[in-house]
Amino acid sequence: MVTTLDVDPARAEDADTLRRLIELYTYDFSEFNQADLGSDGRYGDYPYFDAIWTDADRHALLFRVDGRLAGFAIVRTGDPHDMAEFFVMRKYRRAGIGIHAARAVFAKFPGAWQTRQQFANTAATAFWRRAIPEPFVEHENDEGPFQQFVIT
């Protein structure tokens, strides 16, 4: 039984931990983008990783369930804020952790938001439709659906 979910900003000393979580996320996402491992047995580096620590508009947050790592989010703040990346480890999926984590992330950055998905990732679209705590408008672009909403 889950007793606590913490959603806290990643600190510079969390960089290696976040990098490993991003690799798990990239592996999970390969189901949709068909990415291959590099010759070193790893997925490619996240292209904006260094910017997380230097750009004022990029924010990484770590999720912990009962003190154990459970996932992360990377948010680009602006108009609108953008859920650039969102990952919950499989162990914690379908237990409400993702919805609670998403809503905690939204609450940290009030204002206009968007979430985006690829067409092939129908589970993500269904998730965001449940997780967004406010009325939203859904659109599509060349990559897939996206939702727009405001958190007050």
Side-chain angles (χ1 to χ4, degrees):
M1 182 173 139
V2 174
T3 56
T4 63
L5 167 67
D6 296 309
V7 176
D8 296 311
R11 301 161 299 168
E13 55 265 27
D14 297 319
D16 288 339
T17 298
L18 181 61
R19 191 179 301 279
R20 286 188 287 273
L21 287 169
I22 289 172
E23 188 148 357
L24 293 172
Y25 166 75
T26 304
Y27 167 71
D28 259 14
F29 209 75
S30 70
E31 175 182 358
F32 305 108
N33 67 7
Q34 306 304 307
D36 288 314
L37 286 169
S39 60
D40 62 357
R42 297 182 45 213
Y43 283 96
D45 288 329
Y46 182 65
Y48 308 106
F49 190 80
D50 292 337
I52 291 168
W53 316 107
T54 59
D55 291 359
D57 65 341
R58 293 186 193 270
H59 309 271
L61 300 114
L62 297 176
F63 310 154
R64 287 188 172 82
V65 173
D66 294 334
R68 292 185 173 94
L69 284 169
F72 72 91
I74 298 175
V75 174
R76 283 188 13 239
T77 53
D79 189 22
H81 304 317
D82 180 62
M83 188 71 76
E85 316 296 343
F86 185 87
F87 173 70
V88 174
M89 293 174 52
R90 289 184 182 274
K91 173 181 178 177
Y92 298 105
R93 294 180 192 171
R94 294 179 182 49
I97 299 302
I99 288 174
H100 290 295
R103 290 178 178 177
V105 172
F106 296 147
K108 289 181 182 295
F109 303 97
W113 271 90
Q114 71 176 9
T115 55
R116 300 170 288 115
Q117 307 87 55
Q118 291 185 351
F119 283 117
N121 195 349
T122 57
T125 301
F127 167 79
W128 288 114
R129 288 173 179 164
R130 290 187 316 276
I132 296 169
E134 300 291 339
F136 61 88
V137 176
E138 188 167 284
H139 303 282
E140 289 184 0
N141 61 22
D142 292 344
E143 294 178 3
F146 63 98
Q147 299 77 29
Q148 296 177 310
F149 53 98
V150 175
I151 300 295
T152 54

